[in-house]
């Protein structure tokens, strides 16, 4: 008797505006009477002209248009709360994120925090304070510059607390973007490193929702496998590109969105232990989010081989086309997964980032502090097991 | 130089409520102050208790709850306009479709027609009258009893005009269901014939969006292939079921929804010629919609082999795992497609429905009358070619 597909709700009202020259439609996507705050990160949206294009597209907007720059990669509560204050003080009533997952996550938080009843610290839990639900948010749109996190078509976000060295997540039915503009050509100016990170991040998002145990959700499995095969096909091609290829970029962008827009998670168990372990690495050592996932995932699959046996075999056969005994297929699939990250020039061990065995206990202590003591799809990944995963990743 | 993925918009605000015992949540899905009209078809929702369950779930609803039964398979304008009159007269402000694609399509039309500016005949075009856009609609939900058309998660519908022997479609951004309740167990009482029809209908919906020519939309292709493989896997199992299997029914239901909820059509060419040719068969001879598609599709693939060459090869390899020369793979894939329909006990020729060569010119005349003279993904399927397809299907 196999498990049954779980009950699920599917709801995603974000309007995706995908393709060439879609920025020009901004004018029609934001109601004319809205006072709009543009939120962005560092210099790249200025350097490569995206911010100028956005402003040009809003040149005839009737409401005021203001700006808040400087949202970091791994956006911090400390920075975002300044944006919240600005929004409240100036009565902005529409936010427009121009950037990647960090800017979009940050904008989601600002949208919720600006109209939150009480101190917005309560949007988070996990030792930061009592958690209270988000019940409303300002409307916001996004112009995506870096395909990776899927934040442009979901309702969740992650915020970093600098002093507490913590990355904490939030979400609600009210924090979906109203629209997201996805222009594949906007990715042409990304450094290869960012493209590689985006591919790796999307890959692990899919694995978190797929690499668990079977419940008979054939469509969710097929969709996950299709996205994994797509990333495996385009990853090396993106790294080898001499001039950007439109279709490669379009598939990259759409894969990253679909990896985390709710499609894959319906009715199935989810893991997210790689993210749990990875977030601590970023918080302590500042390593790019995607790279921390590439450090953790292959070792996690090794350590959790028994628990994930059936799905690993399915993954090996369908995604990698492997044959042989179950054990052989599993071993090869894990090796191929590691090699895939390495083909993106992403190191898959701590050593590759000049970190040694001292990290293990530091990281385990952080997991404990943040309550990540019984994680993964069955809640059976203890600190002991997480320690083993970190150790194997040295 | 391959084609490029086309620009697309993706927007689907329908809230899917999927799984066991979800009907009980109706109470929370419809605002208490709404005056609700239940719309349904013939006797099966009464016979199998679904209508009673719906009423029970709404027992404490504060607004009035009324009923309109008798919506036909292939719902007719003549019947639906009576519902429109009732809605207007009694000021219903929320509709709830309880049924399959016909009831849901009909309810969509009622939702739009009840608040349409002018004569709702203008919702259609194609020789029935001048077409005017839908700009608003009453909110409506659905309780799906027959997985097949995908109408529970899209904004389109098809209405039959009895006197004119025509099936005409409509759609708008305002005619998405607010919610759709999908309980796989509700399908347990369906006759095998209806299950088979649902599988076939979903299969052809996928093919209409997939079997065209490549534009490099890797994800849309993988998703379509995943759904086709799912239907090929579950179709025969559903036919062989002695007692209903929850996961089989859940995958059937979710596959049919995903086959036509917008996921597959983004950025790719679409065909829909099988539907164009099939609708005329239903209108003239009253054959089940899904069965007309099974008559048309295999012959269409034969006749359009050259135009669909590249996608037929991809389909043969990825969906059916075929090897050999391109011509061999294509031929085998078409044969397997036909055999798949036959395995569902669905005839794939006119002969199987006791119809002979007299149908060809009758059907071609209807195509001409309805303006279907340059259809398919390139608009190059002339009446001549349609005649050839009908003839080959004899």
């Amino acid at each position: 008797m196999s498990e049954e597909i779980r009950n699920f709700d599917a709801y995603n009202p974000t309007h995706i505006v995908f393709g060439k020259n879609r920025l020009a439609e901004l004018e029609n996507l934001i109601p004319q009477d809205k006072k709009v705050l543009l939120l962005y990160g560092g210099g790249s949206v200025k350097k490569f002209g995206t911010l100028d294009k956005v402003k040009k597209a809003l040149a005839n907007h009737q409401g005021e248009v203001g700006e808040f720059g400087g949202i970091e990669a791994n956006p911090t509560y400390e920075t975002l709360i300044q944006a919240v204050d600005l929004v409240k003080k100036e009565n902005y009533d529409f936010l427009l994120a121009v950037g990647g997952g960090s800017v979009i996550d940050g904008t989601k938080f600002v949208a919720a925090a600006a109209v939150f009843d009480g101190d917005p610290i309560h949007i988070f839990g996990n030792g930061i304070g009592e958690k209270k639900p988000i019940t409303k948010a300002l409307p916001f749109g996004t112009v995506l510059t870096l395909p990776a996190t899927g934040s442009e078509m979901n309702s969740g976000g992650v915020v970093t607390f600098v002093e507490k060295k913590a990355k904490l997540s939030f979400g609600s039915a009210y924090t979906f973007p109203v629209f997201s503009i996805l222009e594949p050509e906007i990715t042409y100016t990304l450094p290869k490193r960012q493209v590689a990170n985006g591919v790796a991040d999307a890959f692990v998002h899919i694995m978190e929702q797929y690499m668990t145990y079977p419940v008979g959700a054939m469509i969710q499995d097929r969709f996950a496998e299709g996205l994994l095969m797509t990333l495996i096909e385009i990853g090396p091609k993106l790294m080898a590109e001499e001039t950007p290829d439109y279709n490669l970029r379009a598939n990259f962008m759409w894969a990253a969105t679909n990896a985390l827009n709710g499609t894959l998670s319906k009715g199935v168990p989810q893991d997210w232990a790689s993210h749990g372990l990875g977030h601590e690495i970023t918080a302590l050592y500042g390593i790019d989010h995607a790279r921390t996932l590439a450090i953790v995932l292959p070792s996690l699959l090794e350590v959790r081989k028994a628990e994930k046996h059936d799905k690993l075999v399915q993954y090996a056969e369908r995604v990698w086309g492997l044959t042989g005994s179950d054990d052989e297929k599993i071993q090869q699939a894990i090796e191929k997964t590691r090699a895939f990250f390495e083909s993106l020039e992403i190191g898959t061990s701590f050593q590759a980032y000049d970190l040694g065995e001292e990290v293990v206990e530091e990281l385990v202590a952080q997991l404990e502090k943040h309550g990540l003591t019984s994680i993964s799809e069955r809640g059976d990944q203890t600190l002991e097991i997480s320690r083993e995963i970190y150790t194997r990743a040295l």
Side-chain angles (χ1 to χ4, degrees), chain A:
Chain A
M1 181 67 195
S2 73
E3 297 245 1
E4 283 183 347
I5 300 170
R6 300 175 185 180
N7 284 5
F8 64 81
D9 285 58
Y11 172 67
N12 194 322
T14 300
H15 172 191
I16 296 291
V17 184
F18 190 103
K20 296 186 178 184
N21 303 315
R22 304 305 301 269
L23 259 183
E25 295 170 42
L26 255 181
E27 186 65 310
N28 305 318
L29 292 165
I30 304 176
Q32 286 298 331
D33 59 343
K34 294 291 183 187
K35 183 168 174 178
V36 182
L37 183 65
L38 309 181
L39 296 99
Y40 53 91
S44 64
V45 295
K46 284 189 174 165
K47 183 172 163 195
F48 296 115
T50 306
L51 196 63
D52 280 343
K53 281 187 204 160
V54 167
K55 288 184 192 168
K56 199 177 152 196
L58 290 174
N60 296 317
H61 184 77
Q62 284 166 23
E64 273 179 63
V65 179
E67 290 181 38
F68 182 90
I71 297 177
E72 313 90 333
N74 304 309
T76 66
Y77 186 82
E78 292 77 1
T79 298
L80 297 173
I81 210 73
Q82 295 175 35
V84 173
D85 291 341
L86 179 65
V87 167
K88 286 178 164 176
K89 189 175 146 214
E90 304 284 346
N91 294 312
Y92 287 104
D93 56 2
F94 198 100
L95 310 182
L96 182 62
V98 183
S102 296
V103 172
I104 299 173
D105 280 14
T107 300
K108 275 180 199 172
F109 171 73
V110 175
V115 293
F116 195 71
D117 294 323
D119 187 336
I121 195 79
H122 295 296
I123 285 174
F124 308 91
N126 286 356
I128 294 291
E130 186 197 349
K131 192 162 185 163
K132 291 182 186 167
I134 294 168
T135 57
K136 54 187 183 288
L138 291 179
F140 65 98
T142 89
V143 175
L144 181 67
T145 60
L146 172 57
T149 73
S151 189
E152 65 278 9
M153 199 180 179
N154 67 38
S155 61
V158 179
V159 170
T160 294
F161 290 76
V162 176
E163 278 189 25
K164 300 184 173 73
K165 291 188 177 166
K167 290 184 77 169
L168 296 177
S169 58
F170 68 95
S172 80
Y174 306 91
T175 42
F176 284 98
V178 176
F179 64 82
S180 284
I181 297 179
L182 275 61
E183 284 196 359
E185 289 169 315
I186 221 169
T187 71
Y188 288 5
T189 54
L190 287 175
K192 285 273 185 217
R193 178 189 179 90
Q194 300 263 45
V195 173
N197 281 353
V199 171
D201 198 11
F203 192 93
V204 182
H205 288 157
I206 301 162
M207 290 291 271
E208 298 278 29
Q209 300 163 88
Y210 168 74
M211 186 46 68
T212 58
Y213 54 88
V215 295
M218 297 168 70
I219 296 156
Q220 291 82 335
D221 280 2
R222 291 284 186 191
F223 282 8
E225 289 153 359
L227 288 168
L228 291 170
M229 286 188 278
T230 299
L231 290 172
I232 289 165
E233 186 173 341
I234 67 177
K237 289 181 184 171
L238 284 163
M239 296 308 286
E241 257 182 353
E242 291 189 1
T243 55
D245 175 273
Y246 182 78
N247 274 356
L248 272 185
R249 298 300 177 124
N251 282 308
F252 168 37
M253 202 166 218
W254 196 224
T257 300
N258 278 277
L260 201 53
N261 68 356
T263 302
L264 304 182
S265 63
K266 297 302 162 230
V268 300
Q270 301 182 58
D271 185 343
W272 296 104
S274 293
H275 274 71
L277 271 60
H279 283 166
E280 304 300 351
I281 303 176
T282 299
L284 283 192
Y285 312 112
I287 295 176
D288 295 353
H289 171 60
R291 284 161 200 261
T292 69
L293 301 175
I295 294 172
V296 174
L297 180 68
S299 295
L300 182 145
L301 295 180
E302 290 275 3
V303 171
R304 305 288 276 170
K305 217 181 275 189
E307 291 80 5
K308 294 177 184 292
H309 177 275
D310 295 352
K311 267 311 195 43
L312 276 167
V313 171
Q314 182 177 325
Y315 169 67
E317 290 172 350
R318 291 191 184 173
V319 175
W320 294 105
L322 296 170
T323 54
S325 73
D326 281 3
D327 284 355
E328 285 165 357
K329 282 184 286 197
I330 289 173
Q331 202 50 51
Q332 284 179 53
I334 297 174
E335 280 163 25
K336 281 184 175 289
T337 305
R338 186 183 293 278
F340 171 67
F341 292 130
E342 298 281 354
S343 80
L344 301 171
E345 293 165 31
I346 293 180
T348 57
S349 68
F350 284 107
Q351 199 187 0
Y353 303 87
D354 299 321
L355 292 169
E357 55 189 323
E358 70 285 357
V359 302
V360 174
E361 292 310 319
E362 289 175 4
L363 290 166
V364 170
Q366 290 297 105
L367 287 175
E368 186 165 20
K369 191 165 133 194
H370 298 139
L372 302 183
T373 54
S374 55
I375 54 178
S376 93
E377 62 268 19
R378 291 188 187 86
D380 63 353
Q381 185 171 320
T382 60
L383 284 184
E384 271 310 300
I385 295 170
S386 295
R387 180 181 286 114
E388 194 182 340
I389 293 166
Y390 281 138
T391 303
R392 192 179 275 264
L394 286 173

